[in-house]
Amino acid sequence: MLSVSALLVTTGCGSQIPPIFASLANNGGNFKIIAIRKGTTLNQELIVSPQAKENIKTVADLKGKKVGYVKNTTAQYFLYKMLSEAGLKWTDIDALPMSTSDGLSAITTGDIDALASYDNAVIIGKEKGGALLRSAEDILSGDYYWYATLDTIKDPAKHAALVDYMERINEANEWARNHPREWAEYASKESNQSPDDIQKRFEAGEAQRKGRIAPIDDATIASEQDIIDSFVDLGALKSKIEAVTLFDKSFVDEIAKFKVY
């Protein structure tokens, strides 16, 4: 019997960004996207520093300002989209790549005027006096990915084990929704956050979009292509990649049978 630990060596879950850059490796990344994990897009935001919030009220006001962002992540993508929609080019701001921790420090001290980031960086940044300029909740797709190596995809035993595992994750998502306090108590031990804070964010996220495992569809491929095209325009990618080549649809029929809650 294939153990979960052995299976997870060759599979993983993450955002829409890693497969794009992995595909540029000599081995093409040696993995494909096999499924979607639908999830919340809350707490991915563009925030303004406490010192600048009185003078910066719209994204257009960022022209000529220092804006931190997490490079080659959804934060860079949604910042690019926000600027474009406001009629600004990337070069209209002083764009400064930063880690999430450095970005939090800089936005708190006012060393930067705004920050495009996610999770604790924006949550704590606002707690320390920063202000929301715009949320990315309607820009991002809410699609997270399950990846698998090519060998795992082709191996019938591993393929079957992975389908079983993802279905269990799908059921576990429903269990957490029905037991939010128990989930928060467990998660707090791993994150150094209070159960109250975890439960509050978890319930808000689930109210926006229920977490579940879903099959690959045309919408997520189109979303991935838009991210690729944006990174090409930003110069982060030297040439265009066809998003469809990053996906493997051999799990679609089985995942389509998972219960949708």
Side-chain angles (χ1 to χ4, degrees), residues 32 52 68 80 142 155-156 173 184 189 227 255:
K32 296 290 184 181
Y80 168 82
D155 185 304
N173 289 329
K189 299 174 184 177
I227 293 172
I255 295 173

Side-chain angles (χ1 to χ4, degrees), residues 13-196:
C13 187
S15 82
Q16 292 180 280
I17 309 299
I20 297 171
F21 291 95
S23 71
L24 301 177
N26 289 335
N27 63 356
N30 195 35
F31 69 87
K32 296 290 184 181
I33 303 159
I34 60 168
I36 307 166
R37 197 278 181 181
K38 298 290 185 180
T40 181
T41 56
L42 300 182
N43 297 319
Q44 301 212 52
E45 300 175 350
L46 177 60
I47 62 173
V48 183
S49 72
Q51 297 82 359
K53 64 184 180 183
E54 293 304 317
N55 296 318
I56 298 176
K57 299 296 185 181
T58 69
V59 175
D61 295 333
L62 292 177
K63 187 172 184 178
K65 304 298 185 182
K66 294 180 178 179
V67 183
Y69 68 97
V70 189
K71 187 177 181 179
N72 294 343
T73 68
T74 51
Q76 185 174 11
Y77 169 68
F78 72 67
L79 175 59
Y80 168 82
K81 298 294 283 189
M82 290 175 181
L83 293 171
S84 298
E85 290 175 12
L88 297 180
K89 298 178 181 179
W90 189 258
T91 52
D92 286 330
I93 64 169
D94 185 3
L96 302 170
M98 297 180 167
S99 67
T100 53
S101 57
D102 287 345
L104 173 59
S105 176
I107 197 72
T108 301
T109 59
D111 288 340
I112 57 176
D113 300 294
L115 174 68
S117 192
Y118 38 78
D119 296 334
N120 284 341
V122 297
I123 293 168
I124 298 174
K126 290 187 293 185
E127 289 175 352
K128 291 183 177 293
L132 172 66
L133 188 60
R134 185 175 172 189
S135 170
E137 61 182 293
D138 294 328
I139 294 175
L140 300 176
S141 66
D143 289 347
Y144 302 84
Y145 293 148
W146 273 96
Y147 324 122
T149 64
L150 303 182
D151 289 342
T152 296
I153 293 170
K154 294 175 183 177
D155 185 304
K158 290 180 179 179
H159 180 111
L162 187 50
V163 170
D164 177 71
Y165 180 71
M166 288 190 291
E167 186 167 21
R168 292 172 188 268
I169 294 293
N170 194 56
E171 296 301 314
N173 289 329
E174 178 65 3
W175 179 91
R177 280 189 287 272
N178 292 323
H179 302 82
R181 189 63 187 183
E182 291 177 64
W183 165 244
E185 294 281 359
Y186 173 80
S188 68
K189 299 174 184 177
E190 307 295 324
S191 64
N192 294 319
Q193 300 174 52
S194 74
D196 288 343

